[in-house]
Amino acid sequence: MASTIEQAPATATATPTSFTEGVGHADEKKVGFEVQAPSESSATRPLVRQKWYQWFSPTDTPEERRLLLKLDGMIMVFVFLAYWAKVLDSSATSTAYVSGMKEDLHLYGNQLNYMNTVYMVGFIVMQIPLTLLMTRFPVNYFLPAADCLWGVFTLAQYKVSNIHQLYALRFFVGALGGFFFPAVQWYLGSWYKRSELNRRGAIFFIASQVGSMSSGYIQAGAYASLNGRLGIQGWRWLYIICFACTIPIALLGLLLLPSTPEHCNSKFLTAREIQLAQERMAAEHREPRQPFTLPKLMHILRGWHVWVLVGFAFFFSQADGVSSNSGLPLWLKAEGYSVENINTITTVSPAVTIVASVVCGILADAYDGAKVWLIAITALLNIFAGIVLAIWNVPEGLKFFAFFLAGTADGIAAIIYAWANEICAHDAEERALVVSAMNTIGNTFGAWIPLLVWKTVQAPRYLIGYCWTIALDVCMLIMLVVLNQFWKREKRANRE
């Protein structure tokens, strides 16, 4: 199949005055560049998308390829490992609760629910403020510093002696961990072109699935080998392990991460490479950071970007209910499967999500316009899965297939956020606000809607839940048409 070729916009060579800031040399000396127009090597030529099996565009110069490899090594390694560590903590509390915490802290009421609620309050309330705050500071310091603080608050949980201390710590753990996903999506959009962003976003996203698959084994092994060691109960060791994983990763980020191209001071990027990164983003019309003022906020809120994208994100974020509300393991338990078999079989769903994420990321990078039909196909697949599960009385093999197929629902996460980065390319602050609001709205409704439509008393046949999933996917298809029409109209207006 031929690569997709997109002609660079006619305005690509306009003077990007916002990219005339000083940049850092490898020896940290400040060197100023007047980027009057992107160079021929990166901006004025047509954008040729790579084929699905290619990592680079055929038109990427050798220096662009070296730059991309450096960025992948510095950015992608850190964000993958850091996100993986976040997932360890999210499951550590549930594991700790059934591994001795309940008895040690005398938690015989609804304290576990309250802990999760406090965590989600911090997670939701602080997402947008902290993501916007990150745009005011050097990212290469802000992200690792937040990670270090997150590790410290995680470690402090091993010393708690009562539930009230745990409530306070869970709030800060939620706040410092919650903004990481939208912040990284914004950060990736500051360095990568639209034909490179989807697969990087997919690699970042699948860290959560890898974490889900590995956390149980890590925690079980740690508890078995460390329980009582140094006089510390096994459940407390779980938090120590999370801390031990986090701090080296944070220090790695502090060493490797570059800031954003317009204010970059990296020991691993030369002055020419930073200038090239600026030119690449200028060619993409990816604007650097500006003062975040009230008039700017009002301008953002008057546009369609925030409302349509956040509305779309609501339907997408709730449509993974089949895999996120334990329908499969509860059905397997009701059918008499052993604990070992249940633990093994349920790893298929995150594996499906990983495969779907990688495939969607690769195809969305390789073919312009692929996002629309990838999202549409995913929605249709999940409608089919929801219909099968709503009927319920179907052959066992078909039911397994429907449960596993539902794992594709989260596979489009990376391309949705990459699309938001592309749509909001002209305003760095809008990008930060929109991607964080998209994630916040999903978590906000995800905190209470399951109480109404995924009631445990209806398990494993969540009839209301499966019908709700079908309705969400249908609405997502409608919103996809709306979003695509708005986006095509804006691109047409920009060309004219």
Side-chain angles (χ1 to χ4, degrees), residues 328 332 337 340-350 400 404:
L328 176 58
L332 293 174
Y337 283 78
E340 180 181 351
N341 285 335
I342 292 173
N343 289 336
T344 301
I345 293 171
T346 52
T347 60
V348 175
S349 291
F400 269 116
F404 295 152

Side-chain angles (χ1 to χ4, degrees), residues 199-403:
R199 68 182 69 193
R200 269 81 177 183
I203 291 171
F204 166 61
F205 176 76
I206 64 176
S208 63
Q209 307 302 313
V210 174
S212 296
M213 296 172 69
S214 62
S215 60
Y217 299 107
I218 293 174
Q219 291 165 0
Y223 182 86
S225 59
L226 294 174
N227 185 28
R229 185 74 59 90
L230 302 179
I232 301 173
Q233 296 103 317
W235 70 267
R236 297 181 186 271
W237 274 108
L238 297 179
Y239 292 113
I240 298 174
I241 290 170
C242 288
F243 169 80
C245 293
T246 299
I247 297 303
I249 295 171
L251 295 177
L252 179 68
L254 196 62
L255 173 67
L256 293 181
L257 285 185
S259 187
T260 49
E262 74 275 14
H263 294 294
C264 187
N265 191 10
S266 172
K267 295 180 179 179
F268 302 100
L269 295 177
T270 66
R272 170 56 194 154
E273 287 171 333
I274 295 171
Q275 182 189 22
L276 177 60
Q278 293 175 347
E279 293 171 356
R280 283 161 46 86
M281 292 301 97
E284 291 278 300
H285 300 284
R286 201 77 54 79
E287 290 296 322
R289 294 174 287 183
Q290 302 291 340
F292 191 71
T293 60
L294 181 59
K296 174 184 277 287
L297 176 61
M298 298 307 297
H299 174 74
I300 293 172
L301 295 179
R302 283 194 296 267
W304 67 266
H305 293 173
V306 63
W307 303 110
V308 175
L309 284 166
V310 171
F312 180 82
F314 164 75
F315 296 108
F316 156 71
S317 64
Q318 306 306 310
D320 68 341
V322 174
S323 56
S324 64
N325 286 282
S326 303
L328 176 58
L330 291 175
W331 172 60
L332 293 174
K333 183 177 181 180
E335 291 294 310
Y337 283 78
S338 67
V339 173
E340 180 181 351
N341 285 335
I342 292 173
N343 289 336
T344 301
I345 293 171
T346 52
T347 60
V348 175
S349 291
V352 170
T353 303
I354 291 172
V355 173
S357 297
V358 172
V359 170
C360 288
I362 290 173
L363 294 180
D365 273 349
Y367 303 102
D368 184 36
K371 294 183 183 70
V372 175
W373 56 263
L374 286 169
I375 294 170
I377 290 173
T378 300
L380 292 172
L381 291 176
N382 280 272
I383 288 173
F384 173 77
I387 291 173
V388 170
L389 294 173
I391 296 173
W392 194 252
N393 294 318
V394 298
E396 186 179 81
L398 181 58
K399 193 177 294 184
F400 269 116
F401 178 74
F403 274 120

